Amino acid sequence: MHRKPNKILITGGAGFIGSHVVRRFVKSYPSCQVFNLDKLTYAGNLSNLRDLEGKSNYQFIKGDIVDASFIEALFEKEKFDSVIHLAAESHVDRSIEAPLDFVMTNVIGTVNLLNAARNSWKSNDSDQHLFYHVSTDEVYGTLGNTGLFTESTAYDPHSPYSASKASSDHFVRAYNDTYGLPVVISNCSNNYGPFQFPEKLIPLAIHNIKHNRPVPIYGKGENVRDWLYVVDHAAAIDLIFHRAVIGKTYNIGGHNEWKNIDLIHLLCKIMDRQLKRTEGTSAKLITFVKDRAGHDLRYAIDSSLIRQELNWEPSLQFEQGLEATVTWYLENSNWLDQVTSGDYLHYYEQQYQHR
Ligand code: NAD
Ligand code: TYD
């Protein structure tokens, strides 16, 4: 199967991963109309996509996926042939503070989109229809010191964030089983790279080191994550979107496990070099703090299915990707200053009214 859609709705395209996906689709498929629907929460920032302004196959729509009548009307008007759904509340620590926000966007918002797609595609007149749900490896819970998550690992979420994503995955599968909605799901490991909001570990650490502030490490820093460069995730999404078998799930991961403390030491070395500081300066900022509640010990992905079936491979070694990420954040200090001051939120409030 090689899909050739004409009109794609991408949700959450002003966020970190979404902006890389939108950029890739707008630039790689000029004959396809790409609609980016985003509420522009604190995590959504249109300056992530400034290079797409004026592109004739790109349109931004400000809107909330929790608003069912707005979503129904949008599908009715635009008649999208496919959806790539990334919009979500995405930060575990925020989910511990405000779980209901995660239920609203990640569960209710996803079901609203599923309903709108189902109503819009009722006549089933095209084999181009696809609802692609982008999810996380965190739905599988935690691993001990060995083993990998496969596509058949049982769901066992521990944080309100991962519970809400697990719930949304179940709804997506249920709409396939019950109504025959054409769906695919991918579950990816931790992403890093340009445009990630500085509440997540790597950009937070870069920001704090740059400003000589403490770098908080939860617990003893023993937790392990499998890191993937965001551009490689966008490439995997492109492949899955165009070539995946309907109803299937793909795990995506970097085969790149790092203990948080080892990752931060590597990052400190790169920061010292790029900031021309004496080696060891940044590492002095490492500060061990109270552990996150329900903190999963280890995530690691078996991505052999997507590698074998779709011939996908990560393109970058982690050291290269981390070096490039540090360079990007240091060269784009305006972006970092803007998103940490919150000014961009007021600017875009004035530019785009809710439709
Ligand atoms: P992000 O927080 O950077 O971006 C989320 C985007 O969704 C923002 O632009 C925000 O404005 C938008 N949004 C939030 N609520 C909305 C609503 N109610 N209506 C419309 N738009 C809304 O997130 P991210 O890190 O780019 O993650 C994107 C997706 O990928 C999420 O579904 C996440 O679960 C998944 N994922 C993330 C990672 C990771 O490491 N970041 C890994 C695997 C999967
Ligand atoms: P994070 O970037 O929040 O991603 P996730 O929780 O989705 O994996 O965190 C990555 C790891 O880093 C996780 O084990 C928690 C840890 N962490 C810290 O030690 N300090 C921090 O300030 C943050 C934000 C995360």
Side-chain angles (χ1 to χ4, degrees):
M1 174 84 190
H2 198 290
R3 280 177 204 94
K4 285 207 177 92
N6 295 313
K7 219 171 179 183
I8 310 181
L9 174 68
I10 299 181
T11 70
F16 166 49
I17 302 170
S19 62
H20 288 274
V21 174
V22 167
R23 175 173 298 103
R24 185 177 178 100
F25 274 71
V26 170
K27 292 194 169 168
S28 308
Y29 306 104
S31 63
C32 177
Q33 288 297 317
V34 177
F35 291 72
N36 170 13
L37 168 66
D38 199 294
K39 184 181 173 184
L40 299 182
T41 66
Y42 77 94
N45 184 354
L46 285 178
S47 71
N48 296 358
L49 291 166
R50 203 154 268 160
D51 53 325
L52 299 187
E53 282 170 17
K55 290 264 182 208
S56 59
N57 65 330
Y58 171 65
Q59 197 171 313
F60 175 72
I61 302 163
K62 183 174 188 311
D64 187 345
I65 60 169
V66 178
D67 182 346
S69 50
F70 161 73
I71 293 295
E72 281 294 338
L74 181 67
F75 273 72
E76 178 68 25
K77 176 172 175 237
E78 300 293 356
K79 306 207 174 352
F80 306 113
D81 53 29
S82 42
V83 176
I84 306 178
H85 174 37
L86 296 110
E89 290 292 338
S90 69
H91 190 43
V92 173
D93 295 324
R94 283 180 193 258
S95 81
I96 295 168
E97 295 302 315
L100 202 54
D101 293 348
F102 287 66
V103 176
M104 294 309 290
T105 289
N106 299 0
V107 185
I108 307 289
T110 300
V111 176
N112 285 339
L113 289 164
L114 289 166
N115 283 335
R118 186 181 158 227
N119 287 334
S120 178
W121 301 340
K122 241 178 201 150
S123 59
N124 211 11
D125 52 358
S126 163
D127 62 358
Q128 295 302 321
H129 293 159
L130 180 69
F131 191 103
Y132 179 176
H133 179 60
V134 176
S135 194
T136 167
D137 63 350
E138 303 194 25
V139 298
Y140 298 123
T142 188
L143 292 163
N145 290 327
T146 58
L148 300 172
F149 296 134
T150 71
E151 286 81 1
S152 55
T153 300
Y155 277 30
D156 183 23
H158 296 136
S159 72
Y161 164 64
S162 54
S164 68
K165 290 297 290 188
S167 171
S168 66
D169 292 10
H170 289 318
F171 272 103
V172 172
R173 288 197 185 95
Y175 271 60
N176 179 241
D177 293 339
T178 309
Y179 308 113
L181 193 77
V183 308
V184 289
I185 299 178
S186 58
N187 297 87
C188 188
S189 60
N190 287 62
N191 284 213
Y192 70 99
F195 300 116
Q196 188 169 33
F197 195 81
E199 63 185 354
K200 305 274 169 66
L201 179 66
I202 290 178
L204 177 90
I206 294 173
H207 182 62
N208 286 12
I209 292 169
K210 186 180 149 204
H211 293 285
N212 277 309
R213 294 192 195 130
V215 177
I217 302 294
Y218 299 161
K220 293 183 180 149
E222 296 284 313
N223 305 68
V224 174
R225 297 293 181 264
D226 175 354
W227 293 93
L228 179 68
Y229 195 57
V230 62
V231 172
D232 286 326
H233 187 190
I237 289 174
D238 186 345
L239 271 177
I240 291 170
F241 177 81
H242 285 98
R243 308 233 321 262
V245 176
I246 297 287
K248 248 185 151 158
T249 294
Y250 295 85
N251 278 355
I252 310 169
H255 203 57
N256 176 44
E257 293 180 46
W258 285 80
K259 266 188 193 169
N260 292 339
I261 188 66
D262 296 339
L263 185 160
I264 291 298
H265 274 293
L266 172 63
L267 182 68
C268 285
K269 261 173 109 170
I270 296 173
M271 290 292 289
D272 283 342
R273 188 159 15 84
Q274 293 209 19
L275 289 170
K276 302 194 179 1
R277 292 177 179 171
T278 314
E279 191 169 335
T281 309
S282 300
K284 290 194 186 120
L285 297 167
I286 293 174
T287 308
F288 292 95
V289 299
K290 188 168 175 275
D291 207 353
R292 172 187 279 172
H295 197 172
D296 287 333
L297 175 67
R298 176 171 165 260
Y299 303 146
I301 283 272
D302 177 350
S303 57
S304 43
L305 181 68
I306 184 172
R307 285 170 193 257
Q308 283 160 20
E309 208 172 276
L310 301 179
N311 213 10
W312 172 86
E313 286 287 340
S315 67
L316 278 187
Q317 293 293 320
F318 186 57
E319 284 80 352
Q320 271 179 302
L322 198 58
E323 189 87 45
T325 301
V326 169
T327 305
W328 185 87
Y329 277 95
L330 295 182
E331 284 178 355
N332 291 274
S333 46
N334 281 352
W335 184 91
L336 203 51
D337 293 344
Q338 231 192 17
V339 300
T340 43
S341 75
D343 280 352
Y344 72 98
L345 289 172
H346 307 300
Y347 174 72
Y348 288 112
E349 263 316 303
Q350 289 157 10
Q351 300 281 310
Y352 291 95
Q353 299 303 321
H354 190 299
R355 284 159 50 136

